[in-house]
Amino acid sequence: MKDKSLCYNCPDRLLKLQEVHENDNESTHEADELMMHEVVYLNEDTVMPRKLETHTEGDNMWYLDNGASNHMSGNIEYFSLLDEKVTGKVRFGDDSRIDIKGKCSIVFINNEGKKKILANVYYIPELRSNIISLRQAIKSGCDVRMKDNYLTLFDRDGNLLVKAIRSRNRLYKVTMEVDKTNLKCLQLSTDGVSTTWHARHEHVGLETMRTMIIREIVTGIPNMTVDKETCASCLMGKQMR
């Protein structure tokens, strides 16, 4: 009688091999999902970045381009929650190739003080101009009209968003104010030393902290001045009670 473990055609052995292969495929599929990134390759044949005026610091100049397939900007100050998983390259009509480093929405403020969102804007650090894609605007429901030397852009409700005059180089550009009130990713806030130790000790009271320092009850706590600062977590907890 042959040893069952040496039988290559044994049904039990084949079943085990099949189970192993299936498990390997599932693991590989899960790993691919975890490592998935949005890779974008743009080919802007009719867009010539060198013909666009480079924006200076604090300049909110945007070009309305019918050749660009997507909105894009090289100013990191315009982005708040940048999705850095979006990567890729963009190739322009002058055969220049530059990298895409993320995607985000940008909030603008119109002349009436209302906020408007420009969604899916690619962040391209080497791009020295800001471009609004008219094709992408049309896909989102906007209405683009060109008459005489003017270009007008209306939203899906018929509200005027942009009115630009054609420049000497036959391009349409407009100044748009970016709402920077929510750009928290570029703001740095630091807490005091006493606030840090207050949080480390599970939001203990300030008087208790002073007693702990004076009597040296806790080992390792520095000899510091306990500042009277407002703790948002403590306020929220007391508000709930």
Side-chain angles (χ1 to χ4, degrees):
M1 182 176 179
K2 294 183 179 179
D3 188 357
K4 192 175 181 179
S5 61
L6 298 177
C7 181
Y8 293 99
N9 295 325
C10 177
D12 292 341
R13 183 178 183 278
L14 294 176
L15 180 61
K16 291 180 180 179
L17 284 174
Q18 184 178 3
E19 289 177 353
V20 171
H21 288 313
E22 288 179 354
N23 291 334
D24 289 343
N25 292 335
E26 290 177 0
S27 301
T28 305
H29 181 66
E30 291 177 359
D32 291 341
E33 287 183 349
L34 292 174
M35 298 176 63
M36 187 176 297
H37 289 72
E38 182 180 342
V39 181
V40 181
Y41 294 96
L42 302 179
N43 190 8
E44 315 295 351
D45 292 332
T46 59
V47 181
M48 303 290 182
R50 295 179 182 177
K51 292 185 179 181
L52 307 180
E53 299 174 6
T54 58
H55 65 269
T56 58
E57 187 175 355
D59 190 7
N60 291 325
M61 186 67 66
W62 288 77
Y63 285 89
L64 307 173
D65 200 316
N66 195 35
S69 57
N70 291 86
H71 312 312
M72 57 190 76
S73 174
N75 195 338
I76 187 61
E77 295 182 357
Y78 294 160
F79 299 91
S80 56
L81 300 175
L82 187 64
D83 185 4
E84 297 181 353
K85 293 181 180 179
V86 180
T87 59
K89 288 185 178 295
V90 55
R91 178 182 177 182
F92 294 106
D94 58 358
D95 205 30
S96 60
R97 297 174 176 85
I98 49 182
D99 295 326
I100 299 171
K101 294 294 185 179
K103 183 175 68 172
C104 184
S105 297
I106 298 178
V107 181
F108 294 98
I109 303 177
N110 61 12
N111 296 332
E112 299 177 356
K114 297 181 180 179
K115 296 182 179 180
K116 299 293 183 179
I117 299 177
L118 185 67
N120 299 324
V121 184
Y122 287 116
Y123 170 54
I124 305 176
E126 296 181 33
L127 186 64
R128 294 294 176 261
S129 302
N130 307 307
I131 299 176
I132 294 180
S133 169
L134 295 179
R135 284 192 283 174
Q136 187 173 346
I138 293 174
K139 287 182 180 179
S140 63
C142 294
D143 181 18
V144 178
R145 303 176 186 177
M146 295 182 183
K147 186 177 181 180
D148 297 331
N149 292 329
Y150 290 93
L151 182 148
T152 54
L153 180 64
F154 298 85
D155 63 12
R156 60 182 61 190
D157 297 325
N159 300 315
L160 179 63
L161 296 176
V162 172
K163 183 177 181 180
I165 188 172
R166 186 172 60 187
S167 60
R168 294 181 178 178
N169 55 359
R170 298 181 178 274
L171 296 175
Y172 295 92
K173 58 182 179 179
V174 63
T175 301
M176 301 176 63
E177 182 181 356
V178 178
D179 180 20
K180 297 184 179 181
T181 57
N182 295 322
L183 300 185
K184 297 180 180 179
C185 67
L186 301 177
Q187 298 177 0
L188 178 64
S189 60
T190 57
D191 297 327
V193 179
S194 60
T195 303
T196 303
W197 282 95
H198 164 72
R200 285 181 178 178
H201 289 88
E202 298 182 354
H203 299 272
V204 66
L206 299 181
E207 293 298 328
T208 305
M209 279 189 62
R210 292 191 182 98
T211 304
M212 292 163 56
I213 295 172
I214 295 173
R215 298 184 181 180
E216 299 181 353
I217 298 175
V218 178
T219 303
I221 189 170
N223 187 9
M224 61 184 174
T225 302
V226 180
D227 300 324
K228 188 176 181 180
E229 299 180 10
T230 303
C231 178
S233 299
C234 292
L235 288 177
M236 187 176 295
K238 292 175 182 178
Q239 207 170 30
M240 293 298 292
R241 288 202 298 270

